Amino acid sequence: VQTCALPICAAGFNVVVDYAFASTSQVLPDILQILGVNTTPLGARVDPSYISLDEEVFLAERRRLGVIVNALGSDLGVRLDVGGEKMFLADHTGGLVPEAISCAAMVELALRTWPGSTVAVPVNQSTVLEQIAQRHGGRVIRTPVDPASIMQTASQSDVVLAADGTGFFLFPRFQPVADSMMAVVMLLQWLAQHEVRLQDVVASLPPIHTVSSTVHCAWDSKGAVMRRLQSQASDSSVQMIDGIKVSLEDERWVLIRPDPDRPLFHVTAEAGTDEEAEDLLAEYSTLVAELVQLRSQP
């Protein structure tokens, strides 16, 4: 390809990319070079011993990415996970963008690009995504939280983007699996096409106030606790896509979802402020704990 007419090619982006010593470092640099993206690479070699990181090390490396972006005056910072599936972001100021907000920003950009289209996200993500879709004439399909369900939904012909709020992004028109390299290219293409910075997109989003916690529950008690929770909620306010999602007034909601692999429940809540969300989370976490305790009594 001798010339490139895509907006990304004319934008002259400067991006810091942390490859996390993964195999993406053998592929993405050439793609970005063809697209005219100037990169500062980090961890740009394959290291088989660099397979998993504890949370503290991962956060420290993300903060380092932000510092480097700010110091170099780059347009964007991108961290890829070792498996080449997840994308984590820092804006041009070096500010780290939380994964749920990255998800909302990508939904916003996708629907700016293809108004009236459909996106797929799991049931534990913010209802802000419906607000974004509404202002672009689009639609949100809610899926179970597990990756297989998200991929299956993404395979539907009318879905342009699927995202899970943890860094996974799927582009079904390309392939219905998570691909961090495609996510990087699509993000840069959209930013160039709409002539915006990531920080501008984030600033345009409605505020997101979601919080989560877990409650331990013995394996053999999960079913009984779920039945009790269902019986306590009115039919009109409950969704059963994955666990039990209770919708309350003022666009508040709580999702109680049994973990498929561990003896615990995930409790997620959203409200108008962080404080209200924390109160709602505490209320329903206590309720679940009480039902677990009741179940364990002889």
Side-chain angles (χ1 to χ4, degrees):
V1 179
Q2 295 182 348
T3 61
C4 173
L6 295 172
I8 186 176
C9 299
F13 284 120
N14 290 285
V15 180
V16 180
V17 183
D18 188 344
Y19 294 97
F21 300 100
S23 59
T24 50
S25 64
Q26 307 300 300
V27 180
L28 186 56
D30 290 340
I31 295 173
L32 294 177
Q33 183 178 18
I34 291 171
L35 294 173
V37 179
N38 303 305
T39 63
T40 300
L42 307 175
R45 60 180 175 83
V46 177
D47 184 349
S49 67
Y50 199 85
I51 297 175
S52 63
L53 300 174
D54 63 39
E55 188 68 16
E56 288 187 5
V57 174
F58 172 71
L59 291 176
E61 293 190 353
R62 285 195 67 187
R63 287 192 291 267
R64 180 192 65 172
L65 173 67
V67 170
I68 294 172
V69 169
N70 184 52
L72 296 179
S74 299
D75 298 302
L76 188 70
V78 177
R79 164 74 183 230
L80 309 183
D81 76 328
V82 173
E85 296 178 318
K86 292 188 177 186
M87 175 180 72
F88 306 98
L89 300 172
D91 65 25
H92 72 282
T93 70
L96 304 185
V97 183
E99 288 89 308
I101 295 178
S102 295
C103 174
M106 291 290 279
V107 168
E108 167 69 24
L109 286 167
L111 293 177
R112 282 190 197 183
T113 305
W114 300 302
S117 297
T118 300
V119 297
V121 296
V123 69
N124 64 345
Q125 293 302 298
S126 172
T127 53
V128 158
L129 300 175
E130 276 79 7
Q131 297 177 41
I132 295 170
Q134 184 177 20
R135 68 191 186 188
H136 295 291
R139 183 168 72 101
V140 175
I141 297 177
R142 292 288 177 166
T143 77
V145 175
D146 65 284
S149 296
I150 299 171
M151 287 189 288
Q152 182 178 8
T153 303
S155 299
Q156 298 179 14
S157 59
D158 60 341
V159 174
V160 299
L161 171 70
D164 77 338
T166 71
F168 284 109
F169 297 97
L170 299 82
F171 301 87
R173 294 176 177 177
F174 176 62
Q175 59 179 352
V177 297
D179 186 333
S180 62
M181 294 189 292
M182 186 65 174
V184 172
V185 172
M186 291 301 297
L187 172 59
L188 292 172
Q189 169 70 2
W190 288 338
L191 293 177
Q193 180 176 343
H194 299 289
E195 300 181 341
V196 293
R197 285 178 158 177
L198 177 59
Q199 188 185 58
D200 301 326
V201 179
V202 170
S204 75
L205 302 173
I208 295 176
H209 305 286
T210 57
V211 290
S212 298
S213 68
T214 59
V215 178
H216 183 270
C217 178
W219 283 106
D220 58 0
S221 298
K222 283 184 176 181
V225 172
M226 287 291 290
R227 288 190 292 273
R228 288 179 179 273
L229 287 167
Q230 188 174 3
S231 68
Q232 292 188 16
S234 64
D235 293 339
S236 60
S237 65
V238 173
Q239 289 181 320
M240 301 287 290
I241 296 173
D242 190 353
I244 295 176
K245 187 173 185 178
V246 181
S247 297
L248 305 167
E249 70 274 4
D250 300 325
E251 299 185 351
R252 299 179 302 145
W253 57 266
V254 180
L255 174 67
I256 302 165
R257 182 175 61 88
D259 191 286
D261 302 314
R262 294 175 292 172
L264 55 84
F265 281 95
H266 297 276
V267 185
T268 304
E270 180 171 37
T273 67
D274 288 340
E275 293 77 11
E276 291 175 356
E278 290 285 358
D279 290 343
L280 195 59
L281 179 69
E283 176 185 348
Y284 276 82
S285 295
T286 299
L287 172 61
V288 174
E290 290 174 349
L291 292 177
V292 170
Q293 181 65 27
L294 182 64
R295 171 63 181 171
S296 65
Q297 293 176 354

